Amino acid sequence: MNYNNVEFEEKIAEFYKKVGKNVRQARKAKNVTQMELAEYLNFKSVASVSNAEICYDNHHFSLSQLYKISLVLDVDIKTLVEP
C-alpha cells in the first residue's frame, strides 16, 4: 500500500487513540486510578495519564511506558496495542 504523509499521520493518530482507549479499559478493569498509574509511571501529574489516554494534544504513551503499564496492570502488552 502506498500512503502519503497525511494518511500516515492520520493512521498514527488513530492508533494512538486506540492504544489510549485500551490502556484506559485495562486500567479500569484492574481498578487502578489515573493517579495510581501516574505514580507507578513516575509522572509529575495525573494529567499526563489522562492526556495520553485520550491522545489530547498529541500526547501518547511511549513504548517503555506501555511496557511498564503492562507490568503494573498484569496484562499482555499486546492487549494494549491491539488496533
Side-chain angles (χ1 to χ4, degrees):
M1 292 188 142
N2 288 332
Y3 289 102
N4 63 38
N5 286 340
V6 172
E7 291 169 327
F8 266 129
E9 292 304 317
E10 289 172 356
K11 290 287 187 188
I12 291 168
E14 289 172 21
F15 176 71
Y16 284 143
K17 287 178 185 177
K18 181 60 179 165
V19 168
K21 184 177 178 182
N22 291 344
V23 168
R24 183 173 188 255
Q25 289 174 340
R27 178 182 58 74
K28 287 186 164 230
K30 298 291 183 164
N31 294 316
V32 174
T33 66
Q34 288 180 334
M35 177 65 84
E36 291 169 326
L37 188 57
E39 289 172 358
Y40 287 128
L41 297 173
N42 293 320
F43 286 173
K44 294 181 180 176
S45 74
V46 70
S48 297
V49 172
S50 176
N51 291 342
E53 284 186 350
I54 61 172
C55 202
Y56 176 75
D57 201 24
N58 201 32
H59 291 278
H60 53 81
F61 296 108
S62 70
L63 186 55
S64 62
Q65 291 165 344
L66 289 172
Y67 181 68
K68 289 177 187 177
I69 292 168
S70 74
L71 295 174
V72 167
L73 300 180
D74 192 30
V75 297
D76 192 321
I77 194 169
K78 290 185 282 188
T79 64
L80 301 177
V81 296
E82 286 180 324

